[in-house]
Amino acid sequence: MRARRTLPAILLLALPVTACTTGPALENQGEVTAPPGDSRHLTIGSAGFTESDLLAQMYALLLDRAGYSTKIISVTNREIYEPALESGQIDVVPEYAATFADWLNAKKNGADAAPVGSPDLAATMKALRALAAPRGLTVLDPGRAVDQNAFAVTSAYARKYHLKSLSDLGKSGLPVRLAAGDECVQRPYCAPGLKKTYGIDITAVDPKGVGTTPAKQAVQSGRDQMVLTTTTDATLDQFGLVLLADDKHLQNADYLVPVVNRSRAGSEGVRTALGRLNTVLTTADLARLNEQVDSWRRLPEDVARGYLRSEHLIPAG
């Protein structure tokens, strides 16, 4: 198996956008009529956290198996990689249905637009595809795996203040410094939602990423009081952390979906190759794979390859 290059996000800034602008012009959005493209050289984007890295690696391995040539680029936030996906600098990214639907909706209709993501997968997918298509993006079918954003505090903190839910934290009136991605300041499911839905006093966002080791360590040490992570985070126990229940359902159930640039990767070949993952990958699988990277210190590519081999989606050896 040949080595696969993982490129830093900074290279996006160096790529000439005019050379690979394959999405529809803004004035022509909504009128995408050209047939889906089938470039044999595809760039896969990862959002830079463990789960996204694993999914990007699995996408690359499945596409390699189907005869495509792939490379992976790591881009740490959606504000950078989504425009790159539209322009064709990135061809495929793993996404989360409800979160991406709301993000595109806010991009089109403003930050105060009513959310379109919901616990209803069919309704969420319909809204997401309607928002993605005019931008030259195709949202492939979701699989069985679902991930939600979640918030954790130390078990000692939870015991001291009798916290089991986010509502409990809001009622406590405690000031909370939140370890999260820098985009949390504006995202409705993050700091604004915690304030509006639960009345939590978010005093600051410490930009250490979503569920990263530094973010969890910041909470473990007491520098921060809470961390944004996910329901498939398998390392919380190692840091003495516990999840607080999202009892008012701030978060939507986010099913994993591949999103592709239609004019470069919208073909049936790509759809079929990536669709094979939908038949096997579950939420529990994701948690176990995350644990192998985060706790056992295995490389995402090795974990991804081992999983696909165990499920007979790529050959052994």
Side-chain angles (χ1 to χ4, degrees):
M1 187 69 66
R2 62 182 172 80
R4 183 175 297 106
R5 290 180 295 160
T6 301
L7 304 177
I10 194 67
L11 289 187
L12 283 176
L13 303 179
L15 292 175
V17 175
T18 55
C20 51
T21 306
T22 55
L26 291 176
E27 64 270 19
N28 295 325
Q29 287 188 356
E31 303 177 7
V32 181
T33 57
D38 192 28
S39 172
R40 308 309 291 181
H41 303 277
L42 299 176
T43 298
I44 300 166
S46 163
F49 57 93
T50 295
E51 189 167 285
S52 189
D53 289 344
L54 281 165
L55 290 164
Q57 293 288 352
M58 285 191 274
Y59 287 4
L61 289 162
L62 289 168
L63 289 167
D64 286 349
R65 174 65 172 159
Y68 294 87
S69 172
T70 63
K71 62 183 177 183
I72 294 173
I73 186 167
S74 183
V75 186
T76 56
N77 65 64
R78 194 174 280 114
E79 284 77 3
I80 296 175
Y81 72 67
E82 190 278 331
L85 184 63
E86 288 189 34
S87 72
Q89 292 174 290
I90 294 175
D91 302 306
V92 185
V93 295
E95 262 295 355
Y96 300 88
T99 296
F100 196 44
D102 284 338
W103 193 87
L104 288 179
N105 186 46
K107 186 174 181 178
K108 177 183 178 181
N109 298 312
D112 296 330
V116 295
S118 76
D120 185 330
L121 177 60
T124 297
M125 288 297 296
K126 181 178 180 181
L128 173 55
R129 284 172 165 155
L131 289 161
R135 297 183 176 277
L137 306 179
T138 296
V139 183
L140 305 187
D141 291 337
R144 300 158 62 192
V146 59
D147 195 354
Q148 283 181 297
N149 294 294
F151 297 91
V153 298
T154 65
S155 56
Y157 185 84
R159 284 194 304 270
K160 181 177 181 179
Y161 295 108
H162 310 289
L163 307 176
K164 292 185 178 180
S165 67
L166 291 171
S167 286
D168 292 340
L169 182 56
K171 291 174 184 176
S172 74
L174 292 165
V176 174
R177 181 177 164 95
L178 176 63
D182 54 6
E183 68 274 12
C184 177
V185 174
Q186 296 180 327
R187 296 277 172 82
Y189 67 81
C190 205
L194 291 172
K195 293 176 181 178
K196 180 178 180 180
T197 303
Y198 290 105
I200 297 173
D201 181 15
I202 303 295
T203 60
V205 172
D206 189 3
K208 293 188 180 300
V210 179
T212 63
T213 294
K216 291 175 206 170
Q217 288 173 335
V219 176
Q220 183 184 41
S221 70
R223 170 184 170 85
D224 299 333
Q225 288 70 53
M226 188 162 67
V227 60
L228 169 62
T229 184
T230 67
T231 53
T232 58
D233 189 331
T235 68
L236 294 177
D237 287 347
Q238 296 175 26
F239 298 90
L241 303 178
V242 294
L243 294 178
L244 295 180
D246 179 21
D247 52 311
K248 292 184 179 179
H249 307 292
L250 174 62
Q251 310 298 329
N252 293 316
D254 269 319
Y255 284 78
L256 294 172
V257 289
V259 182
V260 303
N261 178 291
R262 183 181 185 275
S263 65
R264 288 183 49 80
S267 69
E268 188 60 34
V270 171
R271 182 184 298 271
T272 299
L274 298 183
R276 298 177 70 199
L277 191 60
N278 292 351
T279 63
V280 297
L281 187 67
T282 66
T283 304
D285 288 342
L286 262 184
R288 287 193 294 270
L289 298 177
N290 288 338
E291 182 180 25
Q292 291 181 44
V293 176
D294 291 335
S295 298
W296 304 358
R297 298 303 182 190
R298 296 186 61 197
L299 295 174
E301 183 172 2
D302 293 339
V303 173
R305 182 179 291 111
Y307 177 75
L308 294 182
R309 285 175 175 171
S310 72
E311 298 294 337
H312 309 291
L313 295 184
I314 61 173

